[in-house]
Amino acid sequence: MSGSLWLKEESAGLDTLPALPRPRPSWAAADPIDELTTRLEEVIAAAVHPDEIAAILESDGMTDDHIRLTYGREDSFALAEDLYARVERRFTEPEGPPSDLWHTGLGGCLLRGLVFALPGLAYVLGAPLLTGPPSAPGLPAGTVPLLAGAVTGWVWNQALSHRAHSWLGLGDRRAAARTLLHGAPAGALLGALVAFAAAAGPGGWGGAVFAAGQAVYLGAATVLLVLGRERALLAALAPLVAGTPAAFWLGLPDPARAALLGTSLALAVALAGRELLPPAPAPPGGAPGRAGPRLAASVPYGLFGLGTGGLVLYAAIGDVIALGAGAGASVAGPTAVALTLSMGPAEWLLYRFRRESLAGLRATTSARAFRRATAGTLALCLTVYLAVLLALAVTGTLLWPGAPDIDGIRLASLLLIGTVLWAALLLQSFGAALSAAVVCGAATAAQTAALVSGAGDPRLVGAGVAGAAALVLAVLGGVLLGRATAHRP
C-alpha cells in the first residue's frame, strides 16, 4: 500500500498507531499477542470485521514473516482474527445528536388535511346551481361532468406535483416554478374540456361549468401546496367556509352562492399567480452537468391519484351508483370527508415511521431485531391512523343530517380502504410508487367492473376488493421494509 491508513483525517482520535512490539528474546515472559491486544484495544473494539484489523496491520508494514516470528500466526489475517475474537465490540457513537431528516410538525400536516377537505363545501354551496337531467341512477344533475373533471384533475395534478417536487429536491426552485406555471393551466384546460365532453348536451352544461371551475381550483391548489403555501390556500377558502353555514341554515339566492364560489376561486388563482409570476428566466443552456427528472418517473404518481381517488369515490357513492337512491342507498358523505381529513394525520404518521425506522437502524445490532422493531413501529402507526379515521367517521356521521349508519360492513370497508391508502402512501415514500399505483389501480378497476356488471352486493364487493388490496400491499411492504438498506436516508 502507498501509505498508512492512519494518515487519513477522518481517523480523528486514532491518528497514531500505538508502538508495535518487536521480536522479544526467548526468555521474555509476556505474550506478544496480549500486549498487541492491549495496545490496539480501541482500534480492535471499533472494527466491524477482522479484515479491517488486517489492513491496519499491513499498512504499518507488518509482514507475514514478522507475524510468524513474533506472534506465531500464519499471516496478518490469522492474527487479525485472533485479535478480533479477544476484544468485545464497542462502537463509537457519533458526536452530537443524529440528524433528523424526517421531522415534521403535526400542525402543518393537520393543516394540509384540512385544506384537502374544505373544498368539499363547494359541492354543498353549489348544489342548487347544478341543473339538467339526472347523470346516473339516484345521482344529482351534473354528476358525470364533475366526476370526469375530478378524475382528470387527480391524475394530472398528482403527476405535476411529483415533477415539481423532483425539481425542488434537486434544489432548483426556479425550474419547479416553471413546471407549475406551464403544467397547472394545461391541467385546468384539460379538466374543463373533459367535463364539457362528458356533459349530456346543453342541458348538462351547468355541471360542466362547475366542473371547469373545479379544474381551475385544482391547478391553483396544486401550485400553493407544492410551494408550501397551505396558509394562503386556507385564506382563499375563507369565503367558502363562511358562506356554507349561511347557505345551509338561512338559504342564499343562487347569485350569492355563485359569488362566494367565484371569490374563493379567484383568490386561489391570484395567490397561485403571485407565487409564479413573473416567471423566473431559465438559465442559458439549462443547468450544466445535471439532467432534469424524467417525465416517465411522474406517471406512477398520476396512476396512484387515479387509483386512490377511485377508492374514495366508490366509498362515498358506490351504493348509489349500483342501487340508486330509490333502493335505499345514499351518499356516504362522512366517509369521504373522514378519508380526506385523515390524510393530514396519515402524513405525520408516515414521517414518524421513517424517524423510528432510522432510530431502529442505530439501536439494533441484528437484522432480526431490526425487523422486529420495524414491525412494531409499523403496527403502532397504522393502528393510530385507523383510530383517527374511525373517530372522524363516527363524528361526521353524528353531525351529518341523513348520513347512513356505520354498520359492520361499512365500518370494515372504511378501515380496509384506510389501510390501503396508508400502506400505499408508505410504499410510495420508500420509492415503490409503481407498485402502490398498480395495486390501487387494480382495486379501482375491479370495483368498477363489479359495479358495471352488477355482480354482488356493492358494499361486500367494496370490502372484499379493499381487503385483497390491503393484503397485497402488506406482502409488498413486508418484503421491502424488512430490508435495512431500504431505510437509509
Side-chain angles (χ1 to χ4, degrees):
M1 300 180 69
S2 59
S4 172
L5 296 178
W6 300 95
L7 298 179
K8 300 288 185 180
E9 292 183 1
E10 54 267 25
S11 303
L14 297 173
D15 53 353
T16 303
L17 183 66
L20 296 177
R22 299 307 173 194
R24 291 175 175 270
S26 58
W27 45 262
D31 182 355
I33 297 183
D34 286 342
E35 183 176 348
L36 182 60
T37 302
T38 301
R39 293 174 183 272
L40 298 180
E41 182 176 3
E42 295 300 324
V43 176
I44 299 170
V48 297
H49 193 274
D51 287 355
E52 184 178 345
I53 303 172
I56 291 173
L57 296 176
E58 291 178 354
S59 72
D60 206 67
M62 293 184 67
T63 64
D64 290 344
D65 290 338
H66 173 70
I67 290 172
R68 281 192 293 269
L69 177 62
T70 307
Y71 304 106
R73 299 297 183 268
E74 185 65 24
D75 51 28
S76 61
F77 294 100
L79 177 59
E81 290 179 358
D82 196 343
L83 295 172
Y84 187 83
R86 291 174 180 239
V87 179
E88 183 182 357
R89 306 273 73 74
R90 296 191 304 273
F91 301 110
T92 305
E93 292 293 332
E95 296 182 0
S99 58
D100 194 351
L101 302 177
W102 293 98
H103 174 73
T104 188
L106 178 59
C109 294
L110 293 178
L111 178 60
R112 278 187 286 277
L114 185 62
V115 297
F116 290 158
L118 284 178
L121 296 176
Y123 302 108
V124 178
L125 189 61
L129 305 178
L130 301 176
T131 58
S135 296
L139 293 178
T143 300
V144 169
L146 282 175
L147 294 182
V151 169
T152 303
W154 293 337
V155 175
W156 181 274
N157 289 300
Q158 280 284 339
L160 175 64
S161 62
H162 172 261
R163 183 162 178 80
H165 275 298
S166 298
W167 279 116
L168 290 175
L170 294 173
D172 196 340
R173 188 178 178 86
R174 292 187 304 176
R178 288 194 301 272
T179 298
L180 294 170
L181 179 61
H182 294 97
L189 178 60
L190 179 62
L193 291 176
V194 169
F196 275 98
W205 282 358
V209 171
F210 193 102
Q214 170 186 263
V216 174
Y217 171 81
L218 288 174
T222 299
V223 171
L224 294 174
L225 289 171
V226 169
L227 298 180
R229 299 295 186 264
E230 293 87 357
R231 294 182 184 275
L233 183 57
L234 182 63
L237 294 172
L240 185 64
V241 175
T244 300
F248 185 78
W249 295 107
L250 304 177
L252 289 177
D254 289 351
R257 293 171 180 266
L260 288 171
L261 292 170
T263 301
S264 283
L265 178 60
L267 285 174
V269 172
L271 291 172
R274 186 185 66 177
E275 297 295 329
L276 300 179
L277 298 175
R290 185 183 66 192
R294 296 180 299 110
L295 285 172
S298 299
V299 173
Y301 292 85
L303 297 177
F304 179 80
L306 174 62
T308 55
L311 289 175
V312 175
L313 181 66
Y314 284 135
I317 63 173
D319 291 0
V320 179
I321 294 177
L323 304 176
S330 58
V331 176
T335 297
V337 172
L339 287 168
T340 307
L341 279 175
S342 70
M343 289 298 100
E347 181 184 3
W348 184 82
L349 287 167
L350 288 175
Y351 275 91
R352 184 72 180 183
F353 175 78
R354 296 302 301 266
R355 290 177 62 192
E356 295 297 330
S357 66
L358 287 179
L361 282 177
R362 293 189 295 266
T364 55
T365 57
S366 68
R368 177 177 297 180
F370 173 72
R371 286 193 294 268
R372 188 164 51 247
T374 301
T377 303
L378 178 62
L380 176 61
C381 291
L382 179 59
T383 300
V384 172
Y385 169 69
L386 294 180
V388 172
L389 177 61
L390 178 60
L392 290 172
V394 171
T395 303
T397 301
L398 294 176
L399 298 178
W400 192 292
D405 295 334
I406 303 181
D407 55 16
I409 297 177
R410 198 180 296 275
L411 176 61
S413 180
L414 172 67
L415 296 180
L416 287 171
I417 291 175
T419 301
V420 169
L421 294 179
W422 196 81
L425 289 172
L426 181 64
L427 289 179
Q428 193 181 76
S429 73
F430 278 90
L434 182 58
S435 300
V438 168
V439 173
C440 293
T444 298
Q447 197 159 354
T448 302
L451 287 173
V452 171
S453 63
D457 183 274
R459 290 186 294 175
L460 289 176
V461 170
V465 168
L471 181 61
V472 173
L473 290 172
V475 173
L476 293 175
V479 173
L480 174 63
L481 304 182
R483 301 197 305 264
T485 53
H487 297 260
R488 292 179 298 186

